[in-house]
Amino acid sequence: HVDALRLDAIHAIHDETAAPFLMELADAVGRYSTDLNRRVYLIAESDLNDPRVLRPAAAGGLGLDAQWADDLHHVAFTLLAGDECPYHRDYDRFDLLATAYRTGFAYTGQFSATRERRHGHPPAGLPGRQFVVCVQNHDQVGNRKFGERLGALVGFEAQKLAAATVLLSPYTPLLFMGEEYAEPAPFQYFVDFADPGLAEAVRRGRKEEFGLHGGDDPPDPQAEATFRRSALDRDLRHGGKHAVMWAFYRELLRLRRTTPALRAPDKERMRVTPFPEHRALVAERWDGDDEVMVALNYADRPAEVRLQLRDGVWDRLLDSAD
């Protein structure tokens, strides 16, 4: 009953054989899918920005079905949270948001200061559905010192902007548990090891990892209280701002499902116009005669921009300020 398998950190798998293990795995899963008469997917986590991960073996690729495209998270989070983001040095540039929205990768061969080299390659010809995008996930939240969610770092309107950035994109969206109603509980790093030596090693490792930054120690990963603090309260969906966010996510998903121009994860039928001086971006998406304009304002003030739109009747479908 498994539909997909996410492969963790494939950039850490060093395999220089002519037929790499991941290619063999993709081939085996493909044959398994045929035997089952249904699709089974392999989804890679990779920070290489290498389109060969997704290209079929016949085109010199590994043949995986999709990959986590973390660049969109990194640049959106950096623009919204600023120095709170560990990727601040590489992603504090608005033009990278436009590139990530247009192609799936922000870095497609430019110089990366953190890596001290050029990074990535343009993923030309790859469909949007192969790129899994998010603004929160277990890594980006759980690996923070205190496990703060996006809502603890940015305002309520910024959370809605982040949601729209992901759900109205031409990619496959990933939602992290609780973000759809702005869950306030953190998601802290916790473990439950029976081996006291292993538990202590993890506890010590977390302290050393964050010790350079000073301040309080991170929560004890082995403590039950750390786990308890991370529990969801889904009843929050029915009241206050949490109900507003819940309704907003539902409406974004409804629009994505029912609007022809938004339904297909197709980045080829999209035109992206950035306005870096306003920290604003407009994406026009279309399917036949149906066209949608998505306007995203990452500044903390209104932005006046000028666009040439196709003739016709335009209706306002959603305004996050309402």
Side-chain angles (χ1 to χ4, degrees), residues 186-190 219-231:
F187 182 70
Q188 297 180 335
Y189 185 90
F190 55 83
D220 181 356
Q222 187 76 5
E224 184 176 338
T226 305
F227 167 74
R228 297 287 179 195
R229 278 193 295 271
S230 303

Side-chain angles (χ1 to χ4, degrees), residues 116-153:
E116 299 182 335
R117 58 173 170 77
R118 292 185 178 274
H119 179 62
H121 193 78
L126 295 174
R129 61 178 169 75
Q130 288 191 284
F131 297 80
V132 179
V133 297
C134 71
V135 286
Q136 298 185 78
N137 64 38
H138 74 279
D139 278 332
Q140 308 304 337
V141 179
N143 287 344
R144 294 183 62 84
K145 185 175 182 179
F146 298 109
E148 306 99 329
R149 290 171 177 264
L150 181 66
L153 304 171

Side-chain angles (χ1 to χ4, degrees), residues 85-98:
C85 180
Y87 308 98
H88 187 268
R89 188 180 175 201
D90 269 340
Y91 290 92
D92 192 17
R93 289 169 39 197
F94 191 82
D95 64 298
L96 292 178
L97 179 66

Side-chain angles (χ1 to χ4, degrees), residues 151-169:
L153 304 171
V154 305
F156 190 69
E157 295 303 316
Q159 291 180 68
K160 289 193 282 185
L161 171 61
T165 299
V166 166
L167 288 173
L168 299 179
S169 75

Side-chain angles (χ1 to χ4, degrees), residues 15-91:
D15 184 349
E16 298 181 4
T17 57
F21 164 72
L22 290 173
M23 185 187 295
E24 288 189 83
L25 182 62
D27 179 64
V29 169
R31 287 185 274 107
Y32 185 64
S33 294
T34 300
D35 293 343
L36 291 177
N37 197 29
R38 68 178 178 88
R39 287 300 304 269
V40 179
Y41 299 94
L42 284 177
I43 304 167
E45 181 199 20
S46 169
D47 73 353
L48 300 175
N49 286 18
D50 187 348
R52 289 177 295 183
V53 170
L54 301 176
R55 295 200 193 285
L62 296 176
L64 302 184
D65 297 295
Q67 80 152 74
W68 282 27
D70 282 340
D71 272 9
L72 185 63
H73 164 275
H74 296 345
V75 68
F77 200 105
T78 301
L79 292 173
L80 293 174
D83 289 331
E84 289 287 349
C85 180
Y87 308 98
H88 187 268
R89 188 180 175 201
D90 269 340
Y91 290 92

